[in-house]
Amino acid sequence: MIFPGLKKLRNQLGFKDNGTICYGFVKNSFFSFADGRNIKLLCIRTPEVLDDEDKEKIKTWEKKGYASQVSFSENPSRYVEITFPEKFWPFKVSKIKEVIEDIANYIANKYPNSEVKCSYCDNAASSDVKVRVYEMNGEPMPLCEACASQIQKGLNEEKENLDRQPDNYLRGAATGAIFSIPGILASVFFFALGKIAGVTGLVYYALALKGYSWAKGKLDKTGIVIVSIISLVFSILGTYVGYAIDIARQLADNPDFCEDSFIERFSVSFDIMEIPEVHTELNKNLAVTLIVCGICIAVQMYNIWRALPTSKVKKLD
Ligand SMILES: [Zn+2]
């Protein structure tokens, strides 16, 4: 998401954006900037490899207290990242504009006849090489046509390889479920402590994922759905059974039941769970466990989804 400050800066500079990152050329350098978590990030691709003098010059923005960090890529050092901190309120975009213009002017003065190169092969634009702005993995960058199509080919192959892998969905699901059974012990443990057993949602998710991966279940979108269903089912089942075991354990101290076997007390505990107060307590536990499990699923899904090789190289202008 681009916040209003950067949108304003984008308009002032005549830049474009791809929904998350603003990008464009100022003189002969390529700039892109985005909002991060408590930071703003400015990336610069310069037409020439930066020497020590250039680095020193760009580093001054750190010394002036504008940037919290200035880092340069190695070999070739033609890429700079500048981090602007946001402590209490947004970092002033006018200051970022000042930095962009200063660096663009400096580079244009020092390397007046140079153009931004392809970010991959370092070829400059020529009659044979066309360098354009592409989006790769969501990041806008200058690429030549040859590199763009080669990278896309590589990504396609990676995706095909993943598609060819056996999926093992059934085996993964069964193993995930078996691995989840010991999670019930965690439920019993937390009930015994008199705590809300919500954290067990995380335990069930971790176990289901472990079992599924152990059985070499393919962790694609279907795989994530399978693991999610197992962990949700076990969150419910495990909380029920865990609660019943805990009640059965407590009944051992009750004179009416202390003579009974554990199995007998265990079956009685399901009747006890019908008592309204007990039922409310159980539902509260169920809700928290499911929420925790749901959060784990959402976070994990997001991470795995992002890592799936569905990324594309897309021409932006
Ligand atoms: Zn290239």
Side-chain angles (χ1 to χ4, degrees), residues 20-289:
T20 46
I21 303 174
C22 302
Y23 62 91
F25 287 91
V26 179
K27 307 240 161 142
N28 54 355
S29 295
F30 180 78
F31 294 85
S32 59
F33 48 79
D35 284 296
R37 205 175 289 168
N38 298 325
I39 56 157
K40 288 199 194 307
L41 188 68
L42 173 67
C43 305
I44 311 163
R45 289 176 194 274
T46 54
E48 289 300 325
V49 171
L50 301 169
D51 59 25
D52 289 341
E53 184 196 21
D54 304 337
K55 289 183 182 175
E56 190 70 23
K57 155 78 190 159
I58 296 172
K59 273 266 183 196
T60 56
W61 292 108
E62 213 176 64
K63 295 195 188 94
K64 279 183 191 161
Y66 278 39
S68 60
Q69 202 189 356
V70 176
S71 52
F72 302 91
S73 70
E74 300 283 326
N75 312 319
S77 128
R78 209 178 275 149
Y79 176 75
V80 192
E81 264 183 20
I82 304 184
T83 312
F84 300 99
E86 299 192 306
K87 294 252 163 60
F88 302 105
W89 42 75
F91 190 84
K92 267 200 178 131
V93 291
S94 58
K95 285 185 172 178
I96 300 179
K97 187 162 181 263
E98 196 184 330
V99 173
I100 291 177
E101 284 170 347
D102 177 72
I103 295 173
N105 287 332
Y106 171 83
I107 296 291
N109 281 335
K110 184 153 174 186
Y111 310 105
N113 300 316
S114 193
E115 277 180 61
V116 163
K117 318 273 188 294
C118 167
S119 309
Y120 262 72
C121 65
D122 292 330
N123 277 330
S126 67
S127 51
D128 301 328
V129 183
K130 283 195 180 105
V131 177
R132 300 246 189 286
V133 181
Y134 287 86
E135 179 189 277
M136 194 174 72
N137 296 336
E139 193 195 337
M141 63 178 75
L143 290 174
C144 73
E145 269 176 356
C147 284
S149 68
Q150 207 185 339
I151 295 165
Q152 182 62 65
K153 216 174 108 194
L155 290 172
N156 289 346
E157 275 168 19
E158 205 180 318
K159 191 172 181 303
E160 275 165 29
N161 282 340
L162 193 75
D163 288 344
R164 266 200 297 274
Q165 265 176 33
D167 43 38
N168 296 328
Y169 290 142
L170 210 64
R171 208 173 71 161
T175 318
I178 293 167
F179 269 57
S180 299
I181 294 170
I184 297 172
L185 288 177
S187 296
V188 175
F189 177 72
F190 277 96
F191 283 126
L193 286 179
K195 298 262 189 297
I196 293 267
V199 71
T200 51
L202 193 139
V203 175
Y204 288 118
Y205 186 79
L207 289 172
L209 184 65
K210 187 91 198 141
Y212 184 81
S213 313
W214 187 78
K216 297 199 168 59
K218 192 192 216 174
L219 212 50
D220 56 2
K221 289 172 187 175
T222 313
I224 301 168
V225 172
I226 292 173
V227 172
S228 304
I229 292 173
I230 297 172
S231 49
L232 287 174
V233 167
F234 266 89
S235 291
I236 298 170
L237 188 79
T239 307
Y240 257 103
V241 176
Y243 205 37
I245 292 177
D246 189 54
I247 293 172
R249 194 183 54 83
Q250 290 180 42
L251 285 178
D253 301 330
N254 187 310
D256 295 341
F257 297 97
C258 62
E259 302 287 303
D260 295 351
S261 73
F262 183 80
I263 301 294
E264 282 167 323
R265 280 184 271 128
F266 182 69
S267 57
V268 170
S269 60
F270 282 94
D271 298 329
I272 293 176
M273 279 196 274
E274 297 296 314
I275 300 168
E277 295 90 74
V278 182
H279 201 72
T280 313
E281 180 69 22
L282 175 70
N283 281 343
K284 207 161 68 187
N285 271 291
L286 269 180
V288 180
T289 309

